[in-house]
Structures are given as structure tokens and as C-alpha cells.
């Protein structure tokens, strides 16, 4: 059983470095092309189920993947919606001095809350399909925070259409075997 976490295609806000969060920004033309390319790469890779965040950038990416792979329309999972950045949504991700914008504003959804709801949702998908491979199209912050929690180390930036793969681990948890397209050796 594999759980594939794949980030949605590019949006104009991605291209211009703006925080999206829960704001529903559509894919741009490059993002649509990326989704089509991903579908071509995912054909014949053993995926049986397709899920998506309800935000249009993820949902449309998943719909294109579903059509291209024969998986059909995705099942929507509100529990993996992007982290809310509150009043910071629409602001530049990078500060003028080249550092990341601090995300400590009280309207920003806490990291722990994102990890808790996302891992619970991923666990539900795993429990529903214990002998099948499921692909979940969602968001960069969700994937990065989930991977960081599993690895107990800071996961890198997740690129648009970056694929990470989880497999069952000890005591009902997960191990990461592919991180943003790079294979990892699972730890015992």
C-alpha cells in the first residue's frame, strides 16, 4: 500500500511568490500543462484511488490526472485543504531582504493543527484502501508539514507536482519512501 502526496500545478500566485493558503486561486496555463504532464507520468504506476483537496487548484489538477490515468474524478477531502495563512494570504512569501515571511500572525493556522487534521485524513484513506495505492492531490504546506512530522526533520520546499510517497510504518504510522521526487531509504 502506498499513499502518494502530490502538490497541485502552478497558479499565478505561485509564479509571483504570494501566499495562497485557503484562498481559492485557479491553476494558470502552466499549471494545467503540468497536470497533464503528471498524468502521463502516472499512467501504469499502480494507482487505484484518487483524492483531492476541494480547493480548485488541487481539484482541477486531480481531475486532469484522473482523466489522463483512467482513475476518474477525485474524491474530495476537506481535511487536506491548504493551511490557512489568515490575513497574510496574498502577501509576498519572501521579504525584501530575501528571508521568508514570518508566519507567526495569530490568524495563521497552527502547524500542529495542520499536521493533526492532515495525518488523520491520510490515515482514513489508508484504512479505506489497505491493499491499494492511493494518490492524494493537495498543497505544498500540507505535504511539507506532514513529511516534517513523519521524518522528525525539516522537509524541503515541495515543488508544483512534486510527488512524495508514504508507506505503512510501525505502530500505525507512516514512513517516507519518496520525498518530493527523491527516493529515501526507510528507517526501521
Amino acid at each position: 500500500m502506498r499513499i502518494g502526496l502530490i502538490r497541485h500545478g502552478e497558479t499565478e500566485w505561485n509564479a509571483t511568490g504570494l501566499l495562497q493558503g485557503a484562498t481559492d486561486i485557479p491553476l494558470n496555463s502552466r499549471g494545467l500543462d503540468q497536470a497533464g504532464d503528471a498524468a502521463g507520468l502516472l499512467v501504469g504506476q499502480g494507482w487505484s484511488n484518487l483524492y483531492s483537496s476541494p480547493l480548485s487548484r488541487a481539484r482541477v489538477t486531480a481531475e486532469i490526472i484522473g482523466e489522463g490515468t483512467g482513475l476518474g474524478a477525485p474524491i474530495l477531502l476537506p481535511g487536506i485543504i491548504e493551511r490557512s495563512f489568515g490575513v497574510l494570504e496574498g502577501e509576498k512569501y519572501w521579504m525584501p531582504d530575501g528571508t521568508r515571511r514570518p508566519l507567526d500572525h495569530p490568524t495563521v493556522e497552527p502547524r500542529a493543527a495542520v499536521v493533526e487534521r492532515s495525518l488523520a485524513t491520510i490515515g482514513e484513506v489508508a484504512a479505506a484502501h489497505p491493499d491499494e495505492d492511493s494518490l492524494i492531490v493537495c498543497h505544498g504546506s500540507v505535504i511539507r508539514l506532514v513529511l516534517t512530522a513523519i521524518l522528525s526533520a525539516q522537509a524541503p520546499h515541495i515543488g508544483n507536482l512534486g510527488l512524495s510517497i508514504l508507506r505503512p510504518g510501525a505502530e500505525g504510522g507512516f514512513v517516507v519512501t519518496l520525498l518530493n521526487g527523491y527516493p529515501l531509504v526507510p528507517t526501521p
Side-chain angles (χ1 to χ4, degrees):
M1 187 266 292
R2 297 178 297 166
I3 300 288
L5 303 176
I6 189 165
R7 185 179 178 203
H8 60 79
E10 184 182 85
T11 69
E12 284 307 311
W13 282 24
N14 290 144
T16 57
L18 302 179
L19 285 165
Q20 293 177 117
T23 303
D24 200 2
I25 306 300
L27 295 176
N28 62 18
S29 61
R30 182 166 188 241
L32 293 167
D33 289 344
Q34 289 171 329
D37 291 345
L41 292 171
L42 292 166
V43 169
Q45 298 299 312
W47 301 107
S48 301
N49 308 291
L50 181 60
Y51 292 87
S52 174
S53 158
L55 292 177
S56 66
R57 59 190 181 267
R59 181 182 43 78
V60 171
T61 299
E63 288 169 352
I64 292 169
I65 289 171
E67 184 176 327
T69 60
L71 290 172
I75 297 169
L76 301 182
L77 297 172
I80 54 155
I81 197 166
E82 179 61 297
R83 180 183 187 189
S84 173
F85 293 111
V87 299
L88 300 179
E89 293 182 13
E91 297 291 325
K92 287 280 191 185
Y93 183 77
W94 296 100
M95 302 294 284
D97 66 359
T99 60
R100 289 183 181 179
R101 175 176 294 285
L103 300 177
D104 55 358
H105 194 277
T107 63
V108 174
E109 183 180 12
R111 289 175 184 235
V114 177
V115 171
E116 182 179 345
R117 68 173 166 80
S118 299
L119 278 175
T121 301
I122 292 166
E124 290 168 8
V125 170
H129 308 286
D131 299 318
E132 297 177 322
D133 297 334
S134 300
L135 188 62
I136 301 173
V137 181
C138 55
H139 307 276
S141 291
V142 168
I143 297 169
R144 190 175 63 256
L145 292 173
V146 164
L147 295 175
T148 296
I150 293 169
L151 295 168
S152 297
Q154 182 63 47
H157 169 79
I158 305 298
N160 292 107
L161 276 299
L163 175 64
S164 298
I165 295 179
L166 310 178
R167 289 191 180 267
E171 300 174 22
F174 295 101
V175 294
V176 180
T177 59
L178 190 73
L179 175 64
N180 202 29
Y182 293 94
L184 295 180
V185 177
T187 56

